[in-house]
Amino acid sequence: MVSEAFRGWRAGDGVVDPAGHTMAAEEVAGAETDVLAPPTDPEVCVGFRAFGVRYGDFEALKEVQLDIRRGHITAFMGPSGCGKSTLLRSINRMNDTIPSARFTGQVYLDGEPIYVPGVNIIRLRKRVGMVFQKPNPFPASIFENVAWGARVHGLYKGHALFEHVEKCLARAGLWDEVKDKLKLNAMSLSGGQQQRLCIARALAVEPEILLMDEPCSALDPIATYRIEELMRSLVPDYTVIIVTHNIQQAARVSDYCAFFWVDENRCGRLVESGPTAQLFEAPKDERTERYLAGRMG
Amino acid sequence: MSAGEAVYVRPRPAFVLSDRVANSILAAGAASVVGLAVLLGVVLSLGAAPALSKFGAGFLVGKTWDPVAEHFGALPFIYGTLASSFLALLMAVPVGLGAAIFLAEVLPQWLARPIAFMIELLAAVPSVVYGMWGVFVAVPAIARVEEFIGQRWGHIPLFSGPPIGIGMLAAGVILAIMVLPFIASISREAILAVPRAQAEAALALGATKWETIRGPLLRYARKGILGGIVLALGRALGETMAVTMVIGNVPQISVSLFQSGYTMSAVLANEFAEATGRIHTAALVEIALVLLVLTVLVNAFARLLIWGTAAHAGEERV
Amino acid sequence: MRYETVRRVTNVASLAFCGLLAATAVLPLVLVLYHVVRNGASALNLDFFTKLPVPIGESGGGMANALVGSLLLIGAASLVGVPVGVIAGFFLARQLSGRFAFWVRFAADVLSGVPSIVVGVVAYELIVVPMKGFSALSGALALALIMIPTVVRTTEEMVKLVPYTLYEAALAVGAPEWRATVFVFLRGARAGIITGIMLAMARIAGETAPLLFTAFNNQFWSVSLTQPISSLPVQIFNYAMSPYDEWHRLAWAACLVLVVLVLGMSVITRMVTRGKYEIIQ
């Protein structure tokens, strides 16, 4: 993973567009505070500081200043193309796999910067699990899907591994449905079951944070309901961050919300964030208000 | 009267003579391809009939090949064909698979593509050129290797025999080079066809690149890779010229890699033009028939595997 | 911590090893080209292209007859193989499903996997036996049989690339189907089909096995279809297996000609079609 570490670092923190940098400082933290200062509140799990991403010449996201609270569900919402998925994938540095991706600013995980040279990507991704938009189980047995990650990290062996797999499947609310067919290919499960299997797979490497990139967009309403129920059961043991374009979903499951918008250059910007109830009832920004009103009917 | 009684009819195409003619020409061309394939089997079966009726199943297990006494057993050739082909796969599979992994997952594609093309070019070099290169370049080099091994481990049956370069090992090496592009190229495509989401899922769990490849990627691509290997086997089984030139052409069954052997295709190349008598020719045609059946089965299996992966390779990949 | 180090080292080591294997895979091409060019270039001269072979013991001589023989065989094979292949390919491109199309596709696949020496045996039984002698004609037909599946496959692929809406546009003008087909598909796919044909021709140029007992060989000048005829690959085989250095030199020269022809064609095709055409199908 040496090359990946380098690739992620290439843009460095601090090569910020000077103009953008100042603006962020004024808007978010006041002129005197350092926008790149790490979060001091121990309840903050992930902190974005003047964070921006570009793919080649295309600026996907910039000047994100956001704290995410431990043990809660935070939802990123906004129209498509507003950079919410990009931001999510920055937390476990999955954007590193795109060769043209460059970063600016900093992301802090428990107070430690993750966009610095030599950061341990393997351990970072072990701490930050991820569930994808479309269920993507491995073409292997149900058991193997969950066991693989734990085995790769050398966490459990033999009978302990089996018990661990059972625990993770139970946590994902899937154990009762699959306990008699653990050897069956995961592809034979239904879409909703596959997605819960993917959650179990992510839990199996014992992460602290779970990133979910529109986890229900490929599922029917009933399966969606089960996933949402499952998400609620994961807090406060885990910190959950979910990307969704479904406002009702954000309202149903999240404790905190961050609303993103696309500016005139098709670049994603954070508009506002706060406790979900507050954001929905009294949005500070006009764009948030209109978006929520338009979408909620 | 009522609306529910409408009758639907298929529109009948207008009769256009030129279209009828054109369509029959197309159909005739297509039919002739089927006809040729059938012809192949029929001609070989008829030609082999005298040998089939005289030797029966004994032909396949007989060990002596004596045109003078008109005693024909094809086992040494069948053994030689299978042994040289498997030896070739033994060498070509690791190299081809490793190269495919490197070209698909490690190198950036602008660099990987020309290299993959160079490996594919190996498949375009005529067989007889490999034979020429084998006889004058590879065989002397192999002879030196055999001498080196023979001095140390000559007592092991696998390495016994004269270190002259010509023999099973040389045939295996040349065949390995010739089938390598099939394995490398098809495996690379199979790996490239794995949905991006598979690699992302593994990486997001904190797996290293190698763990990702070894786990989900190879598992997902395994059918395509196996298809490439089986296709390569089909090529190796039927390969003629290069093998004929380096295998030594002695109809014997020996476990030693250094001993000469003989293959089905090689005996056809060497004896068919000068076959003496009806039975000798029929025996050789029967060898061609066995070779045909073998390669058709192997190729059909390969196509089945490759089609299987192509069917669900349509998912997104960035 | 230690286990993680092991994983990182394994990762780097394994990927590097794959790189080594990739280098190994390219090596044979480099070696073969190097030896063919080195040994062939020194033996290649004008005589090679203009003179006939000379008897053993005499030096000099060329492969003019084999060169012409190869061209004649390829030409005659194409005369049969190209029309059949193109027509069948056209049929498949228009007839994507159906039982008959399945069998045609299956037959083309079977034919493409048949070892070329087996095709030679069939041509022998079909033509050499009734004609009571080796002939250029039998060799050409064997080669035709070998090139048909390649031509079928490329024609089908190339015709499929032509947008169907163009065909509909031609029909909407009121053209008969066959006129529309010829006008739209043949024109649209022409370049691709021709490259496919050229590649198939390059490939049969190197075929040796099916000629051994069909076209056989001929030390003399011959352009007759009913007589045995010499060809480059068979000549290479005979010379290579002979004990004479002079003949070995000529064989290397012929190898060079053949390799330049075949590889050159593949590279040009690749460039023209920008990688759309694959050597391995």
Side-chain angles (χ1 to χ4, degrees):
Chain A
M1 290 295 102
V2 179
S3 64
E4 254 185 52
F6 272 107
R7 196 186 287 154
W9 163 241
R10 210 174 296 150
D13 47 356
V15 199
V16 190
D17 167 21
H21 197 141
T22 335
M23 264 183 63
E26 282 164 4
E27 265 177 22
V28 189
E32 283 97 57
T33 5
D34 181 5
V35 282
L36 288 172
T40 45
D41 186 350
E43 278 308 298
V44 171
C45 178
V46 180
F48 296 95
R49 292 296 176 266
F51 188 71
V53 180
R54 60 191 311 155
Y55 301 113
D57 288 337
F58 173 64
E59 205 159 22
L61 188 67
K62 68 180 185 186
E63 293 158 13
V64 175
Q65 201 79 6
L66 178 66
D67 286 339
I68 288 168
R69 299 185 70 80
R70 196 183 307 281
H72 291 280
I73 298 181
T74 304
F76 292 174
M77 51 178 198
S80 52
C82 68
K84 50 195 193 300
S85 282
T86 297
L87 190 68
L88 189 81
R89 293 162 64 93
S90 301
I91 303 171
N92 63 348
R93 290 189 55 168
M94 278 307 282
N95 286 326
D96 289 19
T97 55
I98 300 161
S100 66
R102 300 289 181 273
F103 308 93
T104 179
Q106 190 55 270
V107 179
Y108 291 93
L109 185 62
D110 291 338
E112 296 295 323
I114 63 170
Y115 284 89
V116 288
V119 74
N120 188 331
I121 296 233
I122 292 179
R123 221 174 302 165
L124 170 70
R125 290 181 180 158
K126 183 185 167 299
R127 284 173 64 188
V128 185
M130 185 160 194
V131 177
F132 296 82
Q133 196 169 349
K134 263 197 195 157
N136 56 352
F138 298 134
S141 70
I142 292 167
F143 178 85
E144 193 56 35
N145 260 279
V146 182
W148 191 74
R151 200 183 284 138
V152 154
H153 287 284
L155 294 179
Y156 298 95
K157 277 197 187 100
H159 189 65
L161 180 64
F162 182 83
E163 283 180 345
H164 181 62
V165 169
E166 176 180 347
K167 204 181 84 195
C168 293
L169 283 170
R171 191 76 215 244
L174 197 60
W175 174 251
D176 290 333
E177 289 160 62
V178 301
K179 63 183 173 198
D180 302 321
K181 45 181 182 179
L182 290 173
K183 288 207 173 83
L184 222 66
N185 194 306
M187 299 295 188
S188 63
L189 295 174
S190 74
Q193 288 175 320
Q194 285 189 14
Q195 195 63 303
R196 275 180 283 146
L197 180 68
C198 289
I199 293 172
R201 177 177 70 184
L203 296 179
V205 299
E206 301 179 337
E208 301 154 28
I209 303 173
L210 205 56
L211 310 178
M212 301 179 118
D213 189 356
E214 301 191 22
C216 304
S217 63
L219 304 181
D220 62 68
I222 294 169
T224 301
Y225 172 73
R226 295 208 57 175
I227 300 269
E228 286 176 3
E229 215 178 21
L230 165 60
M231 281 190 313
R232 284 308 323 171
S233 75
L234 290 175
V235 285
D237 298 347
Y238 300 87
T239 306
V240 177
I241 308 174
I242 172 177
V243 163
T244 178
H245 56 242
N246 180 336
I247 294 170
Q248 289 93 328
Q249 183 170 56
R252 281 195 300 266
V253 300
S254 71
D255 303 309
Y256 292 90
C257 249
F259 179 67
F260 294 81
W261 195 253
V262 212
D263 69 10
E264 58 281 4
N265 299 320
R266 287 174 45 235
C267 174
R269 312 289 286 254
L270 172 65
V271 175
E272 64 177 298
S273 63
T276 303
Q278 186 190 316
L279 195 95
F280 272 78
E281 278 156 28
K284 293 195 194 84
D285 195 284
E286 189 193 355
R287 287 167 294 185
T288 320
E289 194 176 354
R290 260 186 308 176
Y291 184 76
L292 293 179
R295 284 299 197 87
M296 301 201 68
Chain B
M1 280 292 204
S2 69
E5 286 169 17
V7 176
Y8 293 91
V9 291
R10 189 170 184 270
R12 295 184 62 181
F15 182 86
V16 183
L17 183 65
S18 57
D19 274 348
R20 288 288 174 93
V21 174
N23 282 339
S24 2
I25 292 175
L26 284 188
S32 65
V33 172
V34 180
L36 283 174
V38 174
L39 191 69
L40 225 62
V42 171
V43 165
L44 290 183
S45 306
L46 288 179
L52 277 167
S53 61
K54 184 164 178 199
F55 305 115
F59 184 77
L60 296 177
V61 292
K63 284 189 191 166
T64 24
W65 183 265
D66 188 348
V68 180
E70 295 209 328
H71 196 90
F72 298 105
L75 193 62
F77 308 112
I78 296 170
Y79 170 79
T81 294
L82 295 179
S84 59
S85 298
F86 282 112
L87 194 58
L89 287 188
L90 214 59
M91 289 180 265
V93 168
V95 177
L97 195 53
I101 289 171
F102 194 72
L103 293 176
E105 288 298 322
V106 182
L107 278 192
Q109 286 307 301
W110 61 266
L111 187 61
R113 252 179 243 123
I115 296 178
F117 179 60
M118 279 177 73
I119 297 176
E120 276 181 43
L121 274 186
L122 278 174
V125 174
S127 169
V128 73
V129 174
Y130 280 114
M132 186 83 193
W133 182 79
V135 169
F136 293 102
V137 181
V139 162
I142 290 169
R144 265 184 308 231
V145 174
E146 288 183 350
E147 201 178 333
F148 179 86
I149 296 175
Q151 278 164 1
R152 280 156 191 80
W153 303 290
H155 55 279
I156 302 171
L158 195 63
F159 303 125
S160 62
I164 51 169
I166 294 271
M168 198 55 94
L169 182 62
V173 169
I174 298 282
L175 273 179
I177 294 174
M178 296 181 75
V179 301
L180 179 67
F182 291 89
I183 297 171
S185 166
I186 294 171
S187 301
R188 171 171 170 262
E189 261 154 42
I191 295 171
L192 282 176
V194 178
R196 193 77 218 135
Q198 289 287 320
E200 286 199 333
L203 290 174
L205 287 174
T208 64
K209 187 150 206 163
W210 174 247
E211 285 159 354
T212 305
I213 294 167
R214 239 197 57 181
L217 287 199
L218 284 190
R219 189 179 252 279
Y220 204 97
R222 66 189 191 278
K223 256 193 185 171
I225 292 170
L226 193 63
I229 293 171
V230 177
L231 201 65
L233 175 64
R235 296 281 154 166
L237 292 172
E239 188 42 59
T240 310
M241 299 318 298
V243 179
T244 308
M245 290 163 87
V246 300
I247 200 169
N249 299 331
V250 179
Q252 61 180 9
I253 297 172
S254 161
V255 288
S256 171
L257 294 177
F258 299 178
Q259 289 286 355
S260 293
Y262 219 152
T263 67
M264 292 191 264
S265 54
V267 73
L268 288 172
N270 284 327
E271 291 188 9
F272 198 80
E274 288 128 33
T276 52
R278 201 173 74 98
I279 287 295
H280 189 190
T281 306
L284 287 168
V285 175
E286 188 176 349
I287 284 189
L289 184 64
V290 173
L291 195 55
L292 177 77
V293 170
L294 199 61
T295 48
V296 165
L297 286 180
V298 168
N299 278 311
F301 184 48
R303 293 275 169 212
L304 223 63
L305 287 168
I306 293 174
W307 279 348
T309 42
H312 61 137
E315 291 179 55
E316 88 276 23
R317 177 167 176 111
V318 184
Chain C
M1 183 66 205
R2 255 208 42 211
Y3 182 63
E4 210 177 278
T5 316
V6 171
R7 288 174 61 198
R8 284 172 187 280
V9 171
T10 311
N11 179 44
V12 173
S14 306
L15 294 179
F17 185 63
C18 285
L20 197 72
L21 292 175
T24 313
V26 181
L27 190 68
L29 182 73
V30 176
L31 283 179
V32 169
L33 286 184
Y34 168 75
H35 285 110
V36 166
V37 170
R38 204 189 67 171
N39 294 317
S42 63
L44 204 58
N45 51 30
L46 194 64
D47 281 359
F48 178 87
F49 295 102
T50 55
K51 294 246 166 76
L52 290 177
V54 291
I56 300 162
E58 289 177 41
S59 69
M63 288 200 185
N65 61 335
L67 217 64
V68 170
S70 267
L71 290 179
L72 189 87
L73 284 170
I74 296 168
S78 306
L79 231 49
V80 181
V82 169
V84 173
V86 169
I87 289 173
F90 243 92
F91 175 85
L92 286 182
R94 296 198 44 191
Q95 201 90 39
L96 293 177
S97 57
R99 195 179 293 171
F100 183 47
F102 169 82
W103 284 111
V104 175
R105 219 166 262 129
F106 182 76
D109 268 349
V110 166
L111 284 181
S112 72
V114 173
S116 57
I117 189 129
V118 172
V119 175
V121 172
V122 173
Y124 177 92
E125 291 283 312
L126 272 180
I127 301 160
V128 177
V129 172
M131 280 178 66
K132 297 194 171 62
F134 302 116
S135 64
L137 183 70
S138 57
L141 286 175
L143 293 182
L145 208 67
I146 291 167
M147 80 186 291
I148 283 174
T150 316
V151 178
V152 170
R153 190 60 76 68
T154 35
T155 306
E156 185 189 351
E157 295 300 322
M158 293 300 153
V159 171
K160 270 197 221 155
L161 288 180
V162 179
Y164 191 74
T165 48
L166 283 182
Y167 174 66
E168 288 183 324
L171 283 186
V173 176
E177 282 177 29
W178 73 271
R179 292 286 303 260
T181 303
V182 170
F183 184 73
V184 173
F185 288 122
L186 205 53
R187 275 177 173 231
R190 191 171 48 193
I193 295 175
I194 289 175
T195 13
I197 292 170
M198 303 284 265
L199 214 59
M201 286 163 84
R203 196 165 310 167
I204 58 168
E207 280 292 352
T208 318
L211 299 179
L212 290 174
F213 31 81
T214 52
F216 202 59
N217 201 355
N218 194 333
Q219 290 302 308
F220 305 103
W221 187 262
S222 170
V223 287
S224 163
L225 278 179
T226 52
Q227 292 298 310
I229 199 166
S230 176
S231 60
L232 275 183
V234 174
Q235 199 74 312
I236 293 174
F237 177 57
N238 287 338
Y239 279 10
M241 302 313 274
S242 79
Y244 312 109
D245 284 343
E246 185 63 23
W247 281 9
H248 294 165
R249 275 169 28 84
L250 278 171
W252 278 115
C255 279
L256 180 58
V257 172
L258 214 52
V259 165
V260 167
L261 187 77
V262 175
L263 292 197
M265 196 72 85
S266 303
V267 173
I268 290 170
T269 313
R270 179 72 161 206
M271 285 172 165
V272 170
T273 59
R274 283 185 216 90
K276 255 183 276 163
Y277 190 84
E278 314 247 334
I279 297 178
I280 292 169
Q281 299 179 330

